[in-house]
Amino acid sequence: MAEFDIIDLIRDRCALAREDVRLGIGDDAALLAMPAGQLLAVSTDTLVEGVHFLPDTAPFDLGWKALAVNLSDLAAVGATPAWATLALTMARAERGWVAAFADGFAALAREFKLALVGGDTTSGPLSVTLTVHGFVPEGAALRRGGARIGDAVIVTGTLGDAAAGLSLLRQPDGGPQGAQDNAGDDSRPEPAPAQETARSALLMRLRRPAPRVAQGLLLRGRASACIDVSDGLVADLGHVCAASGAGAEIEAERLPASSALLQLFEADARRTFQLSGGDDYELCFTVPDAGEAAVLAALARSGCAATRIGRIIAEPGVRVRDAAGRRIAVARPGWEHFS
Amino acid sequence: MAEFDIIDLIRDRCALAREDVRLGIGDDAALLAMPAGQLLAVSTDTLVEGVHFLPDTAPFDLGWKALAVNLSDLAAVGATPAWATLALTMARAERGWVAAFADGFAALAREFKLALVGGDTTSGPLSVTLTVHGFVPEGAALRRGGARIGDAVIVTGTLGDAAAGLSLLRQPDGGPQGAQDNAGDDSRPEPAPAQETARSALLMRLRRPAPRVAQGLLLRGRASACIDVSDGLVADLGHVCAASGAGAEIEAERLPASSALLQLFEADARRTFQLSGGDDYELCFTVPDAGEAAVLAALARSGCAATRIGRIIAEPGVRVRDAAGRRIAVARPGWEHFS
C-alpha cells in the first residue's frame, strides 16, 4: 500500500465537512478560518507503541484513543474542538489496519464535529502524534494556575479504571479473580458473568476513553483551575498546585471508584490505581466553596457525576489522608518518562 | 533527566516573545490570538531516525532540520510563520543532546520569529513531529492546483545538493573523489581544499536546509501554483500537475546545479539527484508567461536565484527531456514510504 493510497483512505474515512476548513488534506498546508473573538487552543500528544499502548492494541482503539487523549487536553482548558492533524508512523502499511485506525479516529471525531485537516504518514516504529485545535473565547479558558486556598478539589467520573484495566492485561492469569482475555482457553475456569462484565468495563476505559469536552465547557466561568488526569491524580493535581502556588489535601476515602473497580480489586490496589494510575482522562478542577453546589448540579445535568475529593491548602504539594486522617505515602505519583 | 526538566530546558532555549501567544508551554493547551482577516495555515511533518535522518545526526542539525522542513510547507502556501508545537520522542534523555537539539530549533525559529508554544516529550524510538502554524490573507494562499497549460515551471535555488550530500555520507570511502568525513583517518589521502569546501557545502544543504519563506511570500499574487521540493522534483511537480489537471515538460539541461554539485559529481549522478533526490526544500512554482520576468526579478531582489526549467502541458504526468529533445526515463521519481 503506497503512501498516497494511505492518505486517500484516511481522508475518505475521516472526512467531515466544516465551513471553516477552506483547504483540508492534500496540499502543503491546511487553510482554516478562525471565528472572531476566540482564541485558538492547540495541544499535541504522542502515543508510542510499547510505551503508551501494548503492541497488540486493536487499530480502531488506537485511532480512538489517540484522538481522545488530545481532546482531553482541549477539555481541560474549556475549548470547543475544531481541527486536528495526524502524524502516523508505521513499520508496515496494511490496508485493513489503516482502515480500522481511521474508523476509530473518525468515530470519536464525528462525536465532536472535529475535522482531520492534514498530516504526515511515514515509515518507522509505530507511533501516533496528533495536534488538536479548538476555540475558546478570550479570557474564558480554564488554566492550571488559578486555584486559591480553600477551594474545593473535584474530579469528574471515576478514577483508576484504565490503570486497573491495564493491570488485567498484564497479568498472565488474566486477572486477579480469574477474569481472562482469551475466551478460547479451556484450561482455566470460566469467569462469572458479572466479573466478565466488570473486566470489560475496565478494559473499555483503557481502550476508549471518553474525553470530558462537554464538562470542560460547563466549567468555564465556574472552575478556578482545571487539568485533565492523564498521568495520575496526584501528579496532575500537583501541576495545578505548583502553577497556583499552593498545595492540596486529598481524602483517599472520597476518591470515586466505579462498580467494576470495586468488584475486581481490593482497597489497596484500588487506591494505587486511583492516586497514580493515569490514563483516566477525567477532569480535576478547583472551585471556590460558594460555587461548589452549582457546579456539581450543572455537571449532573450534563450526565456526569463529579465528586469533591479534597481542598486547596497553603502548604505546597499534594497530601493524601486516609479515613482516620493519617497521611498516606504515594510512592509513584504518576507516569514519568525518562525516570 | 526527568520529563519536566526536559520541558523546562527546551522552553528556556526556545523562548521567543510574541504578543499573540496568550499562553505558551506549560498548560494543557496553548492559547493563541489570530490576526483578523487572515487564515490559519497548518502543516505537520515527522522525521524518524533511520528513515529521514542518519542515526549519528548531530542534535543541533536535527532541531534545525525538523523546523526547516515544516517551515518549507508554510513557504509553499505563502504563509508567514507564527507558532509551532513539538512532539519529541527519544530513547534516552541526555541533557547535552536535548540542549543542542533545542539550540538548533531556536536558531532557525528566531530567524522567522516563530514561537514554540507547546509539545509532548515521550520515551521511545527517536523521532520528531512538528506542527507549524502561519498566517495567510484569505484568498492569497498559494495552492498546488492552479497551474495552467503554457505556464512556466520555475524552481528557486539549486537542486540535488542534499541528496548528493547524503550519498557522500553513505559512501564508505568518503565520497566519489576522495572527500571524507573522518578527518582523523590517516590511511586516505587528504582531499584537495576545494573539494572539501564543495563537500561541506553539500552536507550543509542536507543538514541545515534554508526554507524559502520570504520567497513564498513574494510569490503570493504572482505564482499560479506552488509546492516545496521535499520528495524530489519529479514527484513534487507531479503533485502540482495532478492537482491542476495538467502535465509538465522539464528540460534536464536547465535544472539549476550548485558549483559544489558540479565539482563533485558527473552529469548522470547530478541528474538523478536533481530529478528525484529530495530534501531540497526549494520552491517549484508555475507562473503565466507574461509574469515570468517580473517574478524572476522580484526573487533576484530577495537574493534568491530562480530558474525556468520547463512548462505546463496538457498531457498528464511529468516528462523530462535532454538537450537533444529526447525523453529521459525517471526510474524513481521521488521518495515513497511503504513502497
Side-chain angles (χ1 to χ4, degrees), chain A residues 144-335:
Chain A
R144 293 181 180 180
R148 295 294 166 258
I149 295 165
D151 283 0
V153 177
I154 300 175
V155 290
T156 60
T158 59
L159 296 173
D161 292 345
L166 182 62
S167 81
L168 293 177
L169 291 182
R170 283 185 167 156
Q171 286 178 2
D173 67 351
Q177 302 187 13
Q180 55 188 15
D181 205 26
N182 184 352
D185 185 342
D186 295 332
S187 67
R188 299 182 201 135
E190 280 292 307
Q195 285 183 4
E196 193 53 38
T197 300
R199 187 173 187 283
S200 295
L202 296 181
L203 292 178
M204 202 65 174
R205 285 294 302 272
L206 175 67
R207 292 166 172 164
R208 304 210 192 145
R212 295 294 194 180
V213 171
Q215 288 70 40
L217 296 176
L218 272 179
L219 292 177
R220 296 199 312 217
R222 300 178 191 264
S224 51
C226 187
I227 195 167
D228 71 316
V229 182
S230 53
D231 293 338
L233 175 68
V234 172
D236 289 314
L237 179 55
H239 298 321
V240 168
C241 291
S244 301
E249 193 164 62
I250 297 303
E251 297 167 59
E253 295 304 306
R254 287 176 174 258
L255 296 176
S258 69
S259 58
L261 188 69
L262 288 165
Q263 186 177 345
L264 292 186
F265 290 90
E266 299 304 323
D268 279 359
R270 281 204 309 270
R271 186 173 287 169
T272 300
F273 294 141
Q274 292 178 301
L275 288 172
S276 51
D279 256 4
D280 288 312
Y281 305 106
E282 297 294 350
L283 297 181
C284 175
F285 61 95
T286 60
V287 62
D289 259 343
E292 182 185 343
V295 79
L296 291 176
L299 288 171
R301 282 193 301 273
S302 83
C304 174
T307 308
R308 176 177 178 145
I309 59 170
R311 63 193 179 96
I312 297 297
I313 60 176
E315 294 79 5
V318 177
R319 293 146 197 255
V320 183
R321 299 202 181 273
D322 67 13
R326 288 180 299 250
R327 195 158 166 193
I328 301 171
V330 179
R332 185 176 177 271
W335 177 260

Side-chain angles (χ1 to χ4, degrees), chain B residues 64-245:
Chain B
W64 174 292
K65 187 163 180 172
L67 181 54
V69 307
N70 276 278
L71 288 176
S72 183
D73 284 317
L74 291 183
V77 300
T80 304
W83 316 304
T85 60
L86 164 66
L88 177 58
T89 300
M90 305 175 283
R92 292 166 307 283
E94 293 159 13
R95 183 175 296 276
W97 192 98
V98 174
F101 176 91
D103 285 344
F105 179 97
L108 191 61
R110 272 193 301 272
E111 184 177 335
F112 294 104
K113 298 184 173 55
L114 175 137
L116 184 66
V117 297
D120 190 20
T121 313
T122 58
S123 54
L126 182 60
S127 79
V128 187
T129 297
L130 275 169
T131 304
V132 290
H133 300 78
F135 311 141
V136 60
E138 186 133 21
L142 304 171
R143 303 272 297 262
R144 294 182 178 178
R148 296 293 168 259
I149 295 164
D151 283 359
V153 177
I154 300 176
V155 290
T156 59
T158 59
L159 295 173
D161 292 345
L166 182 61
S167 82
L168 292 176
L169 291 183
R170 283 185 169 158
Q171 288 178 4
D173 67 351
Q177 300 185 15
Q180 55 189 15
D181 204 25
N182 184 355
D185 183 344
D186 295 332
S187 66
R188 299 179 199 136
E190 281 291 306
Q195 285 182 5
E196 193 53 38
T197 301
R199 187 174 186 282
S200 295
L202 297 181
L203 292 179
M204 203 64 176
R205 286 293 305 271
L206 175 67
R207 292 167 172 166
R208 303 212 195 145
R212 296 293 194 181
V213 171
Q215 289 70 41
L217 296 176
L218 273 178
L219 292 176
R220 296 201 309 217
R222 302 177 190 265
S224 51
C226 188
I227 195 168
D228 72 316
V229 182
S230 53
D231 292 339
L233 174 67
V234 172
D236 289 314
L237 179 55
H239 297 323
V240 168
C241 291
S244 301

